[in-house]
Amino acid sequence: MLTANTQAELDAFLDGRQSVLVPTMGYLHDGHLSLVRKARRYSEQHGVPSVATIFVNPAQFNDPSDLAKYPRDVERDKAFLEAEGLDAVYIPEVDEVYPPGRDWSVPIPDVARLPGLEDKFRPGHFEGVCKVLARLFEMCSACAAVFGEKDWQQLQVARALVRELGLHVLIIPGETVREADGLAMSSRNVHLNKEEHDRALAISRAIRAGGQELDWQRAERVMREILTDAGMEVDYAVVREAGGLVKNPDEAPAGPFRCVITARAAGVRLLDNGPWPGPEMDSGVAPA
Ligand code: PAF
Protein backbone atom coordinates (compact mmCIF):
# COMPACT_ATOMS: atom_id res chain seq x y z
CA MET A 1 0.00 0.00 0.00
CA LEU A 2 1.30 3.42 -0.94
CA THR A 3 1.22 6.17 1.69
CA ALA A 4 0.99 9.55 -0.03
CA ASN A 5 1.44 12.72 2.00
CA THR A 6 1.45 15.05 -0.97
CA GLN A 7 -0.61 15.52 -4.10
CA ALA A 8 2.53 14.91 -6.16
CA GLU A 9 3.02 11.47 -4.55
CA LEU A 10 -0.62 10.56 -5.14
CA ASP A 11 -0.51 11.80 -8.74
CA ALA A 12 2.61 9.76 -9.44
CA PHE A 13 0.85 6.67 -8.09
CA LEU A 14 -2.41 7.28 -9.98
CA ASP A 15 -0.55 8.07 -13.18
CA GLY A 16 -3.69 9.43 -14.85
CA ARG A 17 -6.05 6.74 -13.49
CA GLN A 18 -9.26 7.45 -11.60
CA SER A 19 -9.84 5.95 -8.16
CA VAL A 20 -12.54 4.59 -5.88
CA LEU A 21 -12.33 6.70 -2.74
CA VAL A 22 -13.08 6.10 0.93
CA PRO A 23 -12.93 9.54 2.59
CA THR A 24 -12.28 9.28 6.34
CA MET A 25 -11.13 11.37 9.26
CA GLY A 26 -9.13 8.43 10.61
CA TYR A 27 -9.31 6.56 13.91
CA LEU A 28 -10.71 3.73 11.88
CA HIS A 29 -13.07 1.07 13.18
CA ASP A 30 -14.86 -1.91 11.63
CA GLY A 31 -17.47 0.43 10.15
CA HIS A 32 -14.78 2.15 8.07
CA LEU A 33 -13.17 -1.16 7.17
CA SER A 34 -16.45 -2.45 5.75
CA LEU A 35 -16.48 0.66 3.50
CA VAL A 36 -12.91 -0.13 2.51
CA ARG A 37 -13.98 -3.69 1.58
CA LYS A 38 -16.73 -2.23 -0.62
CA ALA A 39 -14.16 0.00 -2.30
CA ARG A 40 -11.86 -2.99 -2.83
CA ARG A 41 -14.68 -4.92 -4.54
CA TYR A 42 -15.44 -1.95 -6.78
CA SER A 43 -11.74 -1.60 -7.51
CA GLU A 44 -11.46 -5.24 -8.59
CA GLN A 45 -14.61 -5.10 -10.73
CA HIS A 46 -13.73 -1.84 -12.47
CA GLY A 47 -9.95 -1.99 -12.56
CA VAL A 48 -9.39 1.30 -10.72
CA PRO A 49 -7.16 1.69 -7.65
CA SER A 50 -8.74 1.99 -4.19
CA VAL A 51 -7.69 5.04 -2.17
CA ALA A 52 -8.61 6.10 1.38
CA THR A 53 -8.00 9.59 2.69
CA ILE A 54 -7.30 10.41 6.31
CA PHE A 55 -7.97 14.09 6.85
CA VAL A 56 -9.53 15.67 9.94
CA ASN A 57 -11.26 18.47 8.10
CA PRO A 58 -11.19 21.66 10.22
CA ALA A 59 -13.84 23.25 7.98
CA GLN A 60 -16.57 20.91 9.21
CA PHE A 61 -16.05 21.46 12.94
CA ASN A 62 -18.03 24.37 14.32
CA ASP A 63 -16.73 23.64 17.83
CA PRO A 64 -12.91 24.01 18.17
CA SER A 65 -12.84 21.76 21.25
CA ASP A 66 -14.56 19.00 19.24
CA LEU A 67 -11.83 19.33 16.59
CA ALA A 68 -9.06 19.33 19.21
CA LYS A 69 -10.29 16.16 20.88
CA TYR A 70 -11.09 14.26 17.68
CA PRO A 71 -9.25 10.94 18.19
CA ARG A 72 -6.22 10.24 15.97
CA ASP A 73 -3.90 7.26 15.45
CA VAL A 74 -2.50 7.32 11.94
CA GLU A 75 -0.04 4.43 12.37
CA ARG A 76 -2.80 2.11 13.57
CA ASP A 77 -5.06 3.31 10.70
CA LYS A 78 -2.37 2.56 8.13
CA ALA A 79 -1.89 -0.97 9.52
CA PHE A 80 -5.66 -1.62 9.26
CA LEU A 81 -5.81 -0.33 5.68
CA GLU A 82 -2.77 -2.32 4.64
CA ALA A 83 -4.34 -5.49 6.06
CA GLU A 84 -7.47 -4.83 3.96
CA GLY A 85 -5.36 -4.75 0.79
CA LEU A 86 -6.11 -1.11 -0.03
CA ASP A 87 -3.95 0.31 -2.83
CA ALA A 88 -3.15 3.74 -1.36
CA VAL A 89 -3.81 6.03 1.59
CA TYR A 90 -3.53 9.77 1.16
CA ILE A 91 -2.89 11.83 4.30
CA PRO A 92 -2.73 15.47 3.18
CA GLU A 93 -1.96 18.60 5.21
CA VAL A 94 -4.59 21.34 5.55
CA ASP A 95 -2.70 23.69 3.19
CA GLU A 96 -2.69 21.09 0.47
CA VAL A 97 -6.43 20.51 0.68
CA TYR A 98 -7.12 24.23 0.95
CA PRO A 99 -4.19 26.11 -0.61
CA PRO A 100 -4.26 29.61 0.90
CA GLY A 101 -5.34 32.61 -1.15
CA ARG A 102 -8.58 31.26 -2.51
CA ASP A 103 -12.04 30.43 -1.17
CA TRP A 104 -12.65 26.69 -1.66
CA SER A 105 -16.33 26.82 -0.72
CA VAL A 106 -18.83 25.17 -3.05
CA PRO A 107 -22.60 25.64 -3.40
CA ILE A 108 -24.48 23.61 -0.80
CA PRO A 109 -27.41 21.35 -1.73
CA ASP A 110 -30.76 21.98 -0.01
CA VAL A 111 -30.61 18.64 1.83
CA ALA A 112 -27.66 20.08 3.79
CA ARG A 113 -29.72 22.94 5.19
CA LEU A 114 -32.92 21.34 6.41
CA PRO A 115 -34.55 22.88 9.46
CA GLY A 116 -34.41 20.71 12.57
CA LEU A 117 -31.57 18.44 11.41
CA GLU A 118 -27.75 18.86 11.37
CA ASP A 119 -27.73 22.48 10.25
CA LYS A 120 -29.66 23.50 13.36
CA PHE A 121 -27.23 21.83 15.76
CA ARG A 122 -23.98 22.14 13.79
CA PRO A 123 -24.38 25.28 11.70
CA GLY A 124 -21.78 25.34 8.93
CA HIS A 125 -20.96 21.65 9.31
CA PHE A 126 -22.20 20.56 5.90
CA GLU A 127 -20.66 23.62 4.23
CA GLY A 128 -17.34 22.19 5.48
CA VAL A 129 -18.22 18.65 4.43
CA CYS A 130 -19.19 19.76 0.90
CA LYS A 131 -16.05 21.86 0.64
CA VAL A 132 -13.77 18.95 1.55
CA LEU A 133 -15.64 16.40 -0.56
CA ALA A 134 -15.40 18.56 -3.67
CA ARG A 135 -11.64 18.87 -3.05
CA LEU A 136 -11.04 15.19 -2.23
CA PHE A 137 -13.01 14.00 -5.27
CA GLU A 138 -10.83 16.23 -7.42
CA MET A 139 -7.50 15.52 -5.70
CA CYS A 140 -8.04 11.76 -5.85
CA SER A 141 -9.62 11.77 -9.35
CA ALA A 142 -12.51 9.82 -7.87
CA CYS A 143 -14.94 8.02 -10.16
CA ALA A 144 -16.70 6.47 -7.13
CA ALA A 145 -16.74 7.10 -3.38
CA VAL A 146 -18.07 5.04 -0.49
CA PHE A 147 -20.06 6.64 2.38
CA GLY A 148 -21.48 4.99 5.49
CA GLU A 149 -25.24 4.92 5.97
CA LYS A 150 -24.78 5.72 9.66
CA ASP A 151 -24.54 9.39 8.75
CA TRP A 152 -27.70 9.26 6.64
CA GLN A 153 -27.95 12.99 6.00
CA GLN A 154 -24.28 13.16 4.94
CA LEU A 155 -24.90 10.33 2.45
CA GLN A 156 -27.81 12.30 0.94
CA VAL A 157 -25.69 15.46 0.91
CA ALA A 158 -22.89 13.64 -0.97
CA ARG A 159 -25.41 12.35 -3.52
CA ALA A 160 -26.95 15.79 -4.02
CA LEU A 161 -23.53 17.46 -4.18
CA VAL A 162 -22.26 15.35 -7.09
CA ARG A 163 -25.60 15.79 -8.87
CA GLU A 164 -25.62 19.56 -8.44
CA LEU A 165 -21.95 20.13 -9.24
CA GLY A 166 -22.24 17.80 -12.25
CA LEU A 167 -19.42 15.55 -10.98
CA HIS A 168 -19.13 12.05 -12.40
CA VAL A 169 -18.66 10.37 -9.04
CA LEU A 170 -20.76 7.35 -8.15
CA ILE A 171 -21.79 7.49 -4.48
CA ILE A 172 -21.80 3.97 -3.02
CA PRO A 173 -23.60 3.50 0.32
CA GLY A 174 -22.14 1.18 2.98
CA GLU A 175 -24.27 -0.45 5.68
CA THR A 176 -23.91 0.62 9.30
CA VAL A 177 -21.74 -1.74 11.33
CA ARG A 178 -22.78 -2.24 14.95
CA GLU A 179 -21.16 -3.46 18.14
CA ALA A 180 -22.57 -6.80 19.35
CA ASP A 181 -24.88 -4.84 21.68
CA GLY A 182 -26.35 -2.72 18.83
CA LEU A 183 -24.44 0.57 19.22
CA ALA A 184 -23.50 1.90 15.78
CA MET A 185 -19.71 2.01 15.41
CA SER A 186 -18.27 5.51 15.51
CA SER A 187 -14.83 6.99 16.15
CA ARG A 188 -16.52 9.00 18.90
CA ASN A 189 -17.52 5.86 20.86
CA VAL A 190 -14.01 5.88 22.34
CA HIS A 191 -15.07 8.89 24.45
CA LEU A 192 -17.83 6.88 26.18
CA ASN A 193 -17.18 5.11 29.47
CA LYS A 194 -19.04 1.86 30.22
CA GLU A 195 -22.02 3.61 31.81
CA GLU A 196 -22.31 6.13 28.97
CA HIS A 197 -21.94 3.38 26.38
CA ASP A 198 -24.82 1.48 28.01
CA ARG A 199 -26.88 4.68 28.07
CA ALA A 200 -26.18 5.20 24.35
CA LEU A 201 -27.73 1.82 23.56
CA ALA A 202 -31.05 3.68 23.87
CA ILE A 203 -30.38 4.99 20.34
CA SER A 204 -30.58 1.63 18.56
CA ARG A 205 -33.41 0.62 20.93
CA ALA A 206 -35.32 3.77 19.96
CA ILE A 207 -34.84 3.11 16.24
CA ARG A 208 -36.14 -0.43 16.62
CA ALA A 209 -39.13 0.74 18.68
CA GLY A 210 -39.88 3.63 16.30
CA GLY A 211 -39.83 1.17 13.41
CA GLN A 212 -42.57 -0.84 15.08
CA GLU A 213 -45.00 2.11 15.28
CA LEU A 214 -47.43 2.39 12.37
CA ASP A 215 -48.14 6.05 13.12
CA TRP A 216 -45.08 8.19 12.32
CA GLN A 217 -45.87 10.87 14.90
CA ARG A 218 -46.20 8.22 17.57
CA ALA A 219 -42.91 6.72 16.33
CA GLU A 220 -41.22 10.09 16.89
CA ARG A 221 -42.71 10.38 20.40
CA VAL A 222 -41.69 6.84 21.32
CA MET A 223 -38.11 7.38 20.11
CA ARG A 224 -37.79 10.62 22.05
CA GLU A 225 -39.22 9.04 25.21
CA ILE A 226 -36.82 6.10 25.08
CA LEU A 227 -33.87 8.44 24.64
CA THR A 228 -34.80 10.91 27.37
CA ASP A 229 -35.77 8.12 29.80
CA ALA A 230 -32.25 6.74 29.31
CA GLY A 231 -30.76 10.17 30.11
CA MET A 232 -29.77 11.07 26.55
CA GLU A 233 -29.98 14.65 25.30
CA VAL A 234 -31.90 14.53 22.02
CA ASP A 235 -31.01 16.80 19.11
CA TYR A 236 -33.60 15.18 16.87
CA ALA A 237 -35.51 11.93 16.54
CA VAL A 238 -37.65 12.11 13.41
CA VAL A 239 -39.27 10.06 10.67
CA ARG A 240 -38.53 11.55 7.24
CA GLU A 241 -38.68 10.58 3.61
CA ALA A 242 -35.36 8.80 3.08
CA GLY A 243 -33.91 10.65 0.07
CA GLY A 244 -34.70 14.33 0.59
CA LEU A 245 -35.19 14.11 4.39
CA VAL A 246 -37.55 17.06 4.18
CA LYS A 247 -40.99 15.47 4.11
CA ASN A 248 -42.80 13.44 6.72
CA PRO A 249 -44.92 10.41 5.74
CA ASP A 250 -48.12 12.55 5.45
CA GLU A 251 -46.41 14.87 2.96
CA ALA A 252 -44.71 12.12 0.91
CA PRO A 253 -46.90 9.02 1.34
CA ALA A 254 -44.96 6.93 -1.21
CA GLY A 255 -41.81 6.78 0.96
CA PRO A 256 -39.43 5.08 1.62
CA PHE A 257 -38.85 6.54 5.08
CA ARG A 258 -36.14 6.60 7.69
CA CYS A 259 -36.05 7.04 11.47
CA VAL A 260 -33.14 9.44 12.00
CA ILE A 261 -31.68 10.17 15.43
CA THR A 262 -28.92 12.34 16.81
CA ALA A 263 -28.50 12.34 20.58
CA ARG A 264 -25.76 12.94 23.13
CA ALA A 265 -24.49 10.77 25.96
CA ALA A 266 -22.32 12.84 28.31
CA GLY A 267 -21.81 15.41 25.55
CA VAL A 268 -20.71 12.82 22.96
CA ARG A 269 -22.84 13.32 19.89
CA LEU A 270 -23.99 10.08 18.26
CA LEU A 271 -25.92 9.49 15.03
CA ASP A 272 -27.94 6.51 13.89
CA ASN A 273 -30.90 5.70 11.68
CA GLY A 274 -32.97 2.82 10.40
CA PRO A 275 -35.84 2.11 8.02
CA TRP A 276 -39.40 3.05 8.94
CA PRO A 277 -41.34 0.82 9.15
CA GLY A 278 -38.61 -1.35 10.65
CA PRO A 279 -37.55 -4.67 9.11
CA GLU A 280 -40.10 -6.78 10.99
CA MET A 281 -42.91 -4.57 9.70
CA ASP A 282 -41.67 -4.39 6.11
CA SER A 283 -43.97 -7.18 4.91
CA GLY A 284 -46.61 -5.26 3.00
CA VAL A 285 -47.99 -3.36 5.99
CA ALA A 286 -48.62 0.18 4.78
CA PRO A 287 -47.70 3.00 7.14
CA ALA A 288 -50.78 4.64 8.72
O1 PAF B 1 -17.86 11.14 7.75
C1 PAF B 1 -16.71 11.62 7.85
O2 PAF B 1 -15.80 11.00 8.44
C2 PAF B 1 -16.40 12.98 7.25
O3 PAF B 1 -17.52 13.81 7.33
C3 PAF B 1 -15.87 12.90 5.80
C4 PAF B 1 -16.88 12.29 4.85
C5 PAF B 1 -14.59 12.07 5.78
C6 PAF B 1 -15.53 14.30 5.30
O4 PAF B 1 -14.56 14.90 6.08
Side-chain angles (χ1 to χ4, degrees):
M1 181 182 75
L2 172 94
T3 299
N5 293 110
T6 65
Q7 179 78 66
E9 285 164 350
L10 183 67
D11 286 349
F13 165 77
L14 288 176
D15 194 22
R17 295 172 299 172
Q18 291 191 295
S19 73
V20 50
L21 173 68
V22 186
T24 84
M25 298 205 297
Y27 212 74
L28 305 180
H29 49 68
D30 280 349
H32 293 110
L33 299 182
S34 85
L35 305 182
V36 168
R37 279 171 220 137
K38 277 216 151 179
R40 291 277 303 117
R41 279 199 294 280
Y42 185 94
S43 155
E44 274 158 25
Q45 283 161 4
H46 297 270
V48 290
S50 52
V51 176
T53 49
I54 298 177
F55 179 64
V56 184
N57 174 32
Q60 72 187 72
F61 287 81
N62 52 346
D63 173 357
S65 71
D66 195 21
L67 172 62
K69 68 173 193 252
Y70 199 84
R72 296 161 209 242
D73 191 340
V74 171
E75 289 313 312
R76 193 186 69 140
D77 291 345
K78 285 202 297 199
F80 283 160
L81 295 172
E82 177 106 57
E84 291 298 334
L86 195 81
D87 294 313
V89 59
Y90 180 29
I91 311 175
E93 296 293 333
V94 174
D95 275 2
E96 193 157 57
V97 178
Y98 306 123
R102 144 164 192 195
D103 180 7
W104 293 97
S105 306
V106 293
I108 307 302
D110 288 348
V111 69
R113 295 194 199 271
L114 300 179
L117 298 183
E118 283 305 279
D119 198 43
K120 171 168 179 199
F121 298 93
R122 298 185 79 188
H125 168 68
F126 277 133
E127 275 83 347
V129 170
C130 290
K131 183 170 160 177
V132 79
L133 291 183
R135 281 295 288 143
L136 294 177
F137 291 161
E138 185 194 338
M139 295 168 87
C140 301
S141 305
C143 60
V146 192
F147 288 84
E149 288 184 348
K150 178 176 67 82
D151 194 337
W152 189 263
Q153 192 177 1
Q154 175 171 275
L155 172 63
Q156 309 317 316
V157 168
R159 284 182 164 141
L161 183 75
V162 297
R163 212 170 38 237
E164 292 181 18
L165 295 185
L167 304 175
H168 297 281
V169 181
L170 176 72
I171 303 298
I172 303 171
E175 271 173 30
T176 302
V177 178
R178 297 177 182 281
E179 313 270 359
D181 57 17
L183 186 67
M185 288 197 182
S186 162
S187 305
R188 293 174 194 271
N189 291 355
V190 71
H191 296 308
L192 302 170
N193 65 28
K194 168 84 177 82
E195 185 272 318
E196 292 154 359
H197 180 115
D198 289 348
R199 208 187 311 160
L201 295 179
I203 301 181
S204 48
R205 220 168 43 241
I207 287 168
R208 280 198 304 279
Q212 301 310 303
E213 294 295 337
L214 280 176
D215 178 292
W216 67 271
Q217 284 161 310
R218 199 174 140 67
E220 290 190 349
R221 273 199 307 279
V222 164
M223 290 193 291
R224 192 168 277 273
E225 261 164 37
I226 290 175
L227 294 163
T228 45
D229 286 356
M232 302 283 294
E233 290 166 67
V234 185
D235 282 358
Y236 49 85
V238 295
V239 179
R240 294 279 173 90
E241 172 262 320
L245 281 173
V246 71
K247 292 183 176 162
N248 65 46
D250 288 341
E251 294 160 341
F257 305 102
R258 213 79 198 163
C259 293
V260 187
I261 290 180
T262 294
R264 297 164 204 257
V268 181
R269 197 161 183 273
L270 301 167
L271 292 75
D272 203 351
N273 64 87
W276 182 82
E280 291 89 315
M281 311 276 299
D282 247 354
S283 49
V285 184

